[in-house]
Amino acid sequence: MELRHLRYFVVLAEELHFTRAAERLNISPPTLTVQIQEIERTLSAQLLNRTKRSVTLTSAGEVFLSEARRVLKQFATAENAGRRAGRGELGRIEIGYVASAAYTGILQDQMNQFTQNYPDVLLKVREFPMDKLPQLVADGDVDIGFVRLPMAMPQLLSHHVLIRDHFCLALSVIPGVEEKSEGPVTPHEIANASFILPEQAFGTFQVASRGGFTPRIVSTPGSLLAVLTQVSIGNGISVIPSALRSVVNLPGVVFRDIVGEPIVSEIAAIFRSDEVAPAVRHLISQIQTTIA
């Protein structure tokens, strides 16, 4: 039995007249009769009471009509969903991010903009360790990642820079530096400091290179909030993204610029270069139109 059989039966049940039903279906009455007979043979049940003057549903016909309508409605729903998914209007996108992407607001901006345009696409957003996120995207476990550059990435990934930031110092009290509490700090002044290393270590080693020293790393606690907590209790200083200055306020932590050319740090979206999922492609297109 095919969907057309269900349609034929539903129309006939609505008209209770073979000629009128055949006209609605754009087929001949004899053809309709044959199709209904095929249904009854398949079900081994009589669905219609037929006389020369009338057509009525049997009890089995009434039950079958209800189920046929339900199936046709479900098929129409599935058909529509399939078309919308093919256009990228439905689906699910796995989003991964590092904390500093959320602190800058770019993650929220991108998600809100996409949801306005594609409200029926589910965005599942989770934080991941920065060193694992590129491979998760490459393996297909995550569709798009929001990361902080520079970082190593598999060759099959592409990226688009969304925000250009720079590194600064997070510190509590440093002997010999506190009198310059409002001014920038030179790399040489912190050569003997203890460093709390964030996930993005690039800034720390750039500062050390400029100061001609090897940083003494005492802790690698993970998240930026954990890093700043370590700084706040006096365990050391940290080189962190400048974006945190305006969104994080912990007791005992102050932020200072670093003397010299700014050490650039960028927030970027990473994604598979050969992405085929329509909904994901829509989000990639949106991202690529964003000017850093």
Side-chain angles (χ1 to χ4, degrees):
M1 191 181 304
E2 301 175 10
L3 282 173
R4 62 184 172 86
H5 290 103
L6 301 183
R7 293 192 184 99
Y8 292 162
F9 180 77
V10 169
V11 171
L12 179 58
E14 291 171 351
E15 295 291 343
L16 292 177
H17 193 282
F18 274 86
T19 301
R20 290 197 299 268
E23 288 176 355
R24 279 182 57 184
L25 294 165
N26 199 29
I27 60 176
S28 67
T31 299
L32 178 58
T33 298
V34 170
Q35 298 299 314
I36 299 302
Q37 289 172 344
E38 287 181 1
I39 298 173
E40 290 179 320
R41 280 196 300 270
T42 300
L43 299 177
S44 299
Q46 183 179 347
L47 303 178
L48 299 167
N49 292 314
R50 305 172 182 83
T51 68
K52 290 183 178 180
R53 295 187 177 182
S54 66
V55 176
T56 59
L57 293 174
T58 65
S59 58
E62 291 175 352
V63 172
F64 186 70
L65 174 62
S66 176
E67 292 301 313
R69 282 173 168 160
R70 184 182 62 80
V71 170
L72 290 173
K73 182 178 180 180
Q74 183 60 40
F75 175 77
T77 300
E79 188 177 38
N80 181 57
R83 288 197 177 108
R84 294 187 65 197
R87 296 193 298 264
E89 298 171 3
L90 288 178
R92 169 173 163 164
I93 304 177
E94 297 284 344
I95 306 292
Y97 69 93
V98 297
S100 57
Y103 289 137
T104 63
I106 191 62
L107 173 70
Q108 296 87 331
D109 290 345
Q110 290 293 323
M111 299 301 96
N112 291 337
Q113 182 181 342
F114 187 81
T115 299
Q116 289 178 2
N117 294 326
Y118 300 96
D120 294 324
V121 176
L122 174 63
L123 301 179
K124 186 173 182 182
V125 185
R126 291 181 292 168
E127 183 178 1
F128 288 95
M130 189 169 64
D131 60 341
K132 291 181 169 52
L133 195 46
Q135 194 59 51
L136 288 170
V137 176
D139 292 342
D141 297 312
V142 172
D143 295 311
I144 295 178
F146 290 82
V147 301
R148 185 170 286 277
L149 302 179
M151 67 186 313
M153 287 188 287
Q155 288 187 348
L156 58 84
L157 297 187
S158 298
H159 74 276
H160 179 81
V161 174
L162 295 165
I163 284 183
R164 289 189 170 87
D165 192 9
H166 64 277
F167 288 102
C168 69
L169 283 178
L171 49 89
S172 49
V173 177
I174 305 174
V177 178
E178 60 269 25
E179 69 273 7
K180 294 176 60 178
S181 58
E182 297 299 324
V185 178
T186 68
H188 297 286
E189 291 178 277
I190 55 174
N192 296 321
S194 298
F195 283 83
I196 313 297
L197 191 68
E199 288 185 295
Q200 174 55 279
F202 176 76
T204 302
F205 289 103
Q206 282 293 301
V207 170
S209 176
R210 290 183 179 187
F213 65 90
T214 299
R216 183 164 61 90
I217 298 167
V218 296
S219 178
T220 55
S223 73
L224 286 170
L225 188 56
V227 168
L228 291 178
T229 300
Q230 291 285 310
V231 173
S232 73
I233 60 177
N235 283 357
I237 68 173
S238 188
V239 181
I240 61 165
S242 181
L244 270 71
R245 301 173 78 152
S246 60
V247 294
V248 176
N249 182 20
L250 283 183
V253 176
V254 293
F255 300 99
R256 297 290 175 260
D257 289 326
I258 302 167
V259 172
E261 189 73 19
I263 302 171
V264 176
S265 176
E266 299 171 324
I267 295 290
I270 59 174
F271 43 86
R272 294 177 290 277
S273 303
D274 59 353
E275 182 58 61
V276 296
V280 180
R281 288 205 309 268
H282 285 321
L283 181 51
I284 292 172
S285 296
Q286 172 188 298
I287 288 167
Q288 290 176 324
T289 62
T290 302
I291 300 174

